[in-house]
Amino acid sequence: IAQVTEDEIIEKGKQYTLAEIEVTGLKTFNKQTVITATGLRVGQKMSFPSDEISDIIKKLIGYDLFSNVDVYAATEGDNLYLTFDLQELPALSDFKIVGIKDRKKEDIITDTELKKGKKVTESFIVNTRNFLINKYKDDGYSNAKVTVTTRVDSTEANAVKMLINIDKGARLKIKSIDIVGNEKLSDKKLRKAMKNTKQKAIYRFWKKSKYIPENFEEDLSSLLDKYKENGYRDARILSDSVISNDDNTLSIAIKVQEGDKYYFGDIEFVGNNVYSDATLKKVLGLKKGDTYNGVLLKKRIQDNTDPDADDITNLYQNSGYLFSNISPVEVSAKNDTIDFEIRIIEGKPAYFSHITVVGNDRTNDHVIYRELRTKPGELYQKSNVVRSVREISQLGFFDPESVDPQIKNANAAAGTVDVEYHVVEKGSSQVQLQGGYGGGGFIGTLGLSFNNFSIRNIFNKKAYRPLPMGDGQSLALRLQASRFYQTYSFSFAEPWLGGTEPKQLSVSLNHTKQYASSYSSTGYYTGNVDKSRRFLITGVSIGIAKRLKAPDDYFYFSQALSLQHYNLKNYSTSLFTFPNGHSNSLAYTVGLSRKSSGPSPIFPKTGSDFSLSAKFTLPYSLFDGVDYKALREERDELEASGDDIDRIGEIDQKRFEWLEFYKIKFSGNWYTSLPAKFVLKTGSEFGFLGSYNSSRGLVPFERFFVGGDGMANYTLDGRENVQLRGYPNQSLSSSDGSVIYNKFSLELRYPITLKPQASIYALTFIEGGAAFDSFREFNPFQLKRSAGFGLRIFMPAFGLLGIDFGHGFDSIDGTNQPNGWETHFVIGQQF
Amino acid sequence: CSSYQKALKSEDVKVKYDLAESLYKEGKYPKANRLFEQILPKYAGKPQGERVVFMYADALYKDEDYYTAAYQFERFSTSYPNSQKSEEAAFYSAKSSYMLSPVFSIDQADTYSALNKLQGFINNYPQSEFLSEANEMVQKLTSKLEKKELEIAKNYSKTYYYKSSIKSIDNFLLDYPGSSYKEEALFVKLDASYKLAINSYEYLIKDRLLEAQEAYDDLLKYFPNTTFADQASKIQEDIKEELSKRS
C-alpha cells in the first residue's frame, strides 16, 4: 500500500533538515492533526531515506483511518520537503438491514459493531458478511444468503451507505436419519450416538433438530466410535448424503459397513520397571476374551475426559513419572483376536524445581507457600498439584474458580519441572451494619470481620491500604444492641502459630448484658424493658487446633479452654431460680474433625466434613463435699409444697455455682457432585448434654434449641441454635432448651453463578430432626420433617445472604395439624 | 464561587489552560489535574498538547499517583519522540513504575514491568544524566526479587521442609549468581543441610552431615570473614561431633 519514491538525486542516509511537511488528499481530517500524528516537526534533522519514514507509514495505516499512504520527498541542498498523500477510508453515514425482523436487528448491530462513523474497510465488509452467514447456518438456516453492498453518500464528504440484505431461507429440520448396512447395532442406538444431529420429534422442543455441517461431521465419527466400543474396529462409513426435501426438511442417509466383531487377545506390558505387570493389568481392567473396545482401551491408558481418572497415565503421573509415555501397539490380529503390547517408556522421575505464585496482590508469600503441597526438590505428583489448588481455595482469600496451576519448564533430561500458581485475590473482609425490628424492639448490629489480617502491621501506617492485610489472620468485632440486650464480642485467630506448623490459635472475648421484659402488676407483658432486672455474661476462650499427619492430613485435633461468668440481678425465670446469684463455667473442649470438602468453601463440590467434639467441666461434686442428694430431696419437698421460693433459690445457687456438665456433639456433611453441576449435600447432626451427678442435675445453660433458621443471634447462655427449616425458630425444643437432639438433611444445590463478585446457588432440601428434654425420652426416629427450597447469594463484601421457604410436615404442638410454610432469612451464617 | 470553580465549569479552554498552568506552578497538583483532565482531549493533536501532557504527567507524579503518571509519561514519550522532554518523560515513566513496585512478599508483576521499563530507558539513552539513578533503581528492584526468593527458601526451612529449602537456595544461587544475598543464602543452606541431616533416618545421617560440611566449606570459601561466623562455626562443631559418633 505504501511506497516511497526515491529521487535519483537523493543520497542514501544523508542528513537533511526537514524544511516543510505537506499533507494532501485530506477530506475530513485536519492537516495539523496528521502532522502531529507523524511525530515529525519542521526544522528537525533526519536522514533520508530511513526506517523512520516507513515506521510513520505503518503507524498511519495502523490507525485504520486511511486506505493508502504515499510519501513524496524532494530535496534542495540540505533541505528536505516531505509530502504525505493520504487516502481516507470512507465513513459509514447510514446503514440498512433488510430481510429480518426489526427486533432481531439490534443484536446484529451490536455483534457486527455497525455504527455510524465507522471506517469502512474491505475486510470489515467481508467479515460482516461471513459472520452473518455463519450465524444463520449455526441456527439451522443452511441456505442463508447475505449480501453487503456499499454506495457513495453524496450528501457527506467521504461517506458511504451500507445495505445488508439477509435472506435467511427456510430453517431446515432433519426429517429422518436413515442408516443402512447396520445389522449388529440398531438404528436407535446409532442415532443416539450422534449427539448433535437428531431427527425431528415432538419431544424435541428444547433443541431444534438442526443440521449443522460441523456437528454432523463430528457425529459421524461418534457413530464409528460406537462401533469401536462394541468390537467392530473395522466399521466404516461408506457414504453419507443430505437430501433437501420439498417441505423444507432434510433427509440424511448414512451407509455403513460393520465388518467383523473382534476380541482382545493377549495384552502384554513392555518397559515397565516401577509397576509390576499384575498391578498394571488391574488398572487396565481388560482381559483376554473381552470384546475389543478401542475407545475403552484408550481411556484406561489415558482418559482425556477426566484428569483425575484411575488410568495408567495417572498411575505414573502420581508417582513422579511426568515424562512417562504409554502407547498401545497391536502386535498381531489372528482371526477375530487382537494381541496388544502396551509399550511403556517410564523416563526419569521428575522433581519439582521452582514453585512460584503470582497474582497475590495482598496476601504475603508465606501464607500461600506454606499451604502448597508441591515443594521444591520433592517428587512430582499430579495429585499434589490438585491438592494444592484445594488448599489455596480453602484459604478464602482467592477466587476459587480461577486458581490455575501452570506446569512449566518440564525438562526430561534434568528430571525437573516448575509449577506456577496463578491466583486472583478477592475481597475477604466483611462489614455488617444492620438495623431491624426483632424481639419487640429495634436491633442494631455492627459487625466487622477481616479474614486476611496482618496483626504485626497494626502500627505500620504504610500497611493501611485500607487495612493491614496479607498475613492470613482473622479478626472479628461485633457489637449488637437492642432495648433488651447489648452484646460485644471480639475474636482473633492465627492459623499458623509461630509460622512453623499448621497450628491455629484462636482467642475470643465476649460480654452480654440482658434485661428482662417488664410485666404489669396483673402479669401482662408490657413490651417495655425492666432495667432493674438484668443478666450479665462475660466470657473468654482460648483454643488451639492442630492439623494432624495421621490417619491423613485432612484431620484436625482441637482443644479449647473457656471461662464464662454469669451474673444475675433480680432476674428469675423458670430456668434461673436464683435471681441474685452468679454462676461460673470453666470448660475444656476437645475435638477431632476431618475437613476435605472443596474446592471452594462457599460451594463445595466434593469431599466431606466431620467433627466430633466433647466439652467437659471438672466433676466438682466428687470433691467439693456438698451433699447434693440431701439438697435435691430438700428442694423436691420445697417445690412440692411451693412456699419457700427463696430457699429453692439458695439451693440452686449452690447447685450452679460452678457449672458441672459434659456435652458431646457430632456433625457430618458429605458433598457429592451429580451430573449437570448439581451437588448433593447429605448431613447428619447429633448433640447431647449430660450431668455427672444426677442429684446435682442438668445445667440450665449450654442447651440446644432446635428449629428455624439456626442463626445464633446472641450468646445468652451458651445455647446452640440448630437449624431445622419449616418450623418457627426454636419451636422444636421446650422453652428451657433441649438436652439431646439429632438431625438428618439432604440438600440438592445448583450453582447459578460462581463468579468472584457473587456466588449464587439455588437449593432444595428435605430434613428432619428431633429434640428432647432428657435422654430417657430420646427417640431418634420421631422426627419433625420438612422440605422446601431456597436461594443463597454470597458476595465478598456482605457475606452470605439467603432465603429459604420450608414446609413443616409435622405439628409442633402435639396436634395432627402440620406446621405449614415458614420463611427463613439467612444472614452471614457460615455455609 | 471561586475562580477555580468558575474555570471548572467554563467553556473556554484557554481559561482552564491558564489556571491549570498556574496551579501546577504553585504546586497545587490535585486541583491542576482536574483541569488538565478536562482540557487534555481538546489539545490532542495540537502543538500545545505536548506541553499539557507533560505538565499533567508531572503533576500526577508529584501527587504520587504513580500508576497514571507512568501511563501519561509513556504516552508523552511515544507521542512526541522528538521532544526535548522525551528523555525526561521516559525516565519518569520508568521511575513511576519503580515507585509502584510493592513489598517483596507479594506478587512482583509491577517490579518486573518497572525493570523492563528501566532497562528500556538505559538502552535508549545510554548517555542520559539520569543513568546512574536508573541503574541504582534496577539494582534495588533486582535485590528485592532476590530477597523474595531467599525469604521463600528460609520459610521452607522454618516449616521443616529442609530439602525444599536447600533446593530453593540452589535455584537461587543459579538464578542470581552475583546476588548481594549470596552470603546469607549460603548460610541458610548450611543451616538447613545440618538440620536435614540430624533429623534423618540413621542410615542417611552420615552422608547428609558430609553434605552439610560441604555447605560450610562453601560459605567459608566465598566469605572467609562471614558475618555468620559465630553461628556457622557452632554448626560446624556440631557436625564434627555428630560425625565423630558415626565414624
Side-chain angles (χ1 to χ4, degrees), chain A residues 167-215:
Chain A
D167 176 12
K168 284 197 294 192
R171 192 203 291 250
L172 301 180
K173 284 190 189 171
I174 301 167
K175 188 182 183 183
S176 61
I177 300 174
D178 298 311
I179 304 170
V180 290
N182 57 319
E183 288 170 4
K184 305 296 194 304
L185 297 183
S186 67
D187 286 3
K188 199 176 160 196
K189 226 175 199 168
L190 293 175
R191 284 191 199 122
K192 202 176 160 196
M194 300 173 69
K195 289 273 174 283
N196 292 309
T197 310
K198 297 282 184 192
Q199 290 189 155
K200 207 165 81 173
I202 32 164
Y203 54 84
R204 288 185 57 79
F205 45 84
W206 288 119
K207 280 171 116 182
K208 299 277 190 272
S209 304
K210 296 180 283 197
Y211 168 74
I212 298 160
E214 293 95 74
N215 289 349

Side-chain angles (χ1 to χ4, degrees), chain A residues 810-830:
Chain A
D810 295 291
S811 74
I812 41 175
D813 49 9
T815 63
N816 284 326
Q817 204 69 20
N819 183 60
W821 287 98
E822 294 281 339
T823 306
H824 307 285
F825 295 97
V826 181
I827 300 163
Q829 194 189 32
Q830 283 305 302

Side-chain angles (χ1 to χ4, degrees), chain A residues 39 91 155 252 289 291 302 317 372 451 636 714 807 811:
Chain A
T155 57
I252 293 177
T291 302
Q302 181 166 20
Q317 292 277 314
L372 298 179
N451 288 325
D636 286 348
Y714 56 99
H807 186 273
S811 74

Side-chain angles (χ1 to χ4, degrees), chain A residues 196-409:
Chain A
N196 292 309
T197 310
K198 297 282 184 192
Q199 290 189 155
K200 207 165 81 173
I202 32 164
Y203 54 84
R204 288 185 57 79
F205 45 84
W206 288 119
K207 280 171 116 182
K208 299 277 190 272
S209 304
K210 296 180 283 197
Y211 168 74
I212 298 160
E214 293 95 74
N215 289 349
F216 181 57
E217 283 301 310
E218 218 170 85
D219 283 343
L220 285 179
S221 65
S222 313
L223 191 151
L224 283 182
D225 279 348
K226 191 81 206 170
Y227 270 109
K228 282 183 191 152
E229 284 170 22
N230 286 287
Y232 299 93
R233 63 160 198 154
D234 292 342
R236 57 197 181 109
I237 288 168
L238 294 175
S239 69
D240 62 279
S241 49
V242 181
I243 304 131
S244 283
N245 302 325
D246 295 337
D247 55 349
N248 282 337
T249 58
L250 298 171
S251 295
I252 293 177
I254 301 168
K255 202 169 172 186
V256 297
Q257 191 184 53
E258 293 179 323
D260 295 328
K261 186 167 181 168
Y262 288 83
Y263 298 89
F264 281 116
D266 293 319
I267 302 174
E268 292 199 2
F269 295 93
V270 182
N272 52 317
N273 292 319
V274 185
Y275 291 104
S276 66
D277 286 3
T279 313
L280 293 174
K281 257 193 185 132
K282 218 169 137 193
V283 178
L284 189 69
L286 298 170
K287 53 183 196 301
K288 191 171 180 174
D290 286 354
T291 302
Y292 173 81
N293 182 343
V295 180
L296 186 65
L297 177 70
K298 236 187 211 165
K299 235 181 180 176
R300 301 309 306 157
I301 289 171
Q302 181 166 20
D303 187 350
N304 290 324
T305 57
D306 177 9
D308 301 325
D310 276 330
D311 53 33
I312 297 182
T313 304
N314 272 352
L315 185 70
Y316 275 99
Q317 292 277 314
N318 281 336
S319 53
Y321 292 88
L322 173 67
F323 308 113
S324 58
N325 186 348
I326 300 146
S327 48
V329 179
E330 249 175 57
V331 284
S332 80
K334 282 174 237 129
N335 302 326
D336 60 352
T337 307
I338 302 166
D339 292 343
F340 270 96
E341 223 174 69
I342 296 180
R343 295 189 184 153
I344 300 172
I345 302 166
E346 292 178 339
K348 250 190 185 179
Y351 291 86
F352 290 117
S353 180
H354 292 80
I355 303 293
T356 45
V357 177
V358 297
N360 52 324
D361 298 330
R362 275 200 298 268
T363 308
N364 287 317
D365 287 340
H366 69 272
V367 176
I368 309 165
Y369 282 81
R370 67 193 181 190
E371 301 292 348
L372 298 179
R373 300 306 170 91
T374 53
K375 308 271 183 195
E378 292 194 348
L379 196 62
Y380 165 85
Q381 272 171 296
K382 201 166 132 191
S383 55
N384 278 347
V385 179
V386 176
R387 179 75 193 269
S388 299
V389 171
R390 175 194 181 266
E391 297 299 328
I392 296 177
S393 305
Q394 285 288 326
L395 285 172
F397 312 145
F398 305 105
D399 170 24
E401 304 294 315
S402 48
V403 177
D404 174 25
Q406 297 187 357
I407 306 287
K408 288 187 161 181
N409 305 331

Side-chain angles (χ1 to χ4, degrees), chain A residues 111-122:
Chain A
D111 290 344
T112 55
E113 295 173 1
L114 267 179
K115 58 171 179 256
K116 282 180 192 176
K118 192 176 174 91
K119 296 287 173 186
V120 181
T121 61
E122 204 50 47

Side-chain angles (χ1 to χ4, degrees), chain A residues 514-550:
Chain A
Q514 160 93 16
Y515 295 106
S517 313
S518 79
Y519 291 88
S520 67
S521 50
T522 48
Y524 285 106
Y525 174 57
T526 62
N528 285 327
V529 184
D530 185 353
K531 293 227 170 185
S532 65
R533 300 165 58 211
R534 60 129 182 82
F535 185 3
L536 287 181
I537 307 167
T538 310
V540 51
S541 78
I542 180 162
I544 293 271
K546 191 172 184 289
R547 186 157 70 206
L548 301 181
K549 292 202 170 96

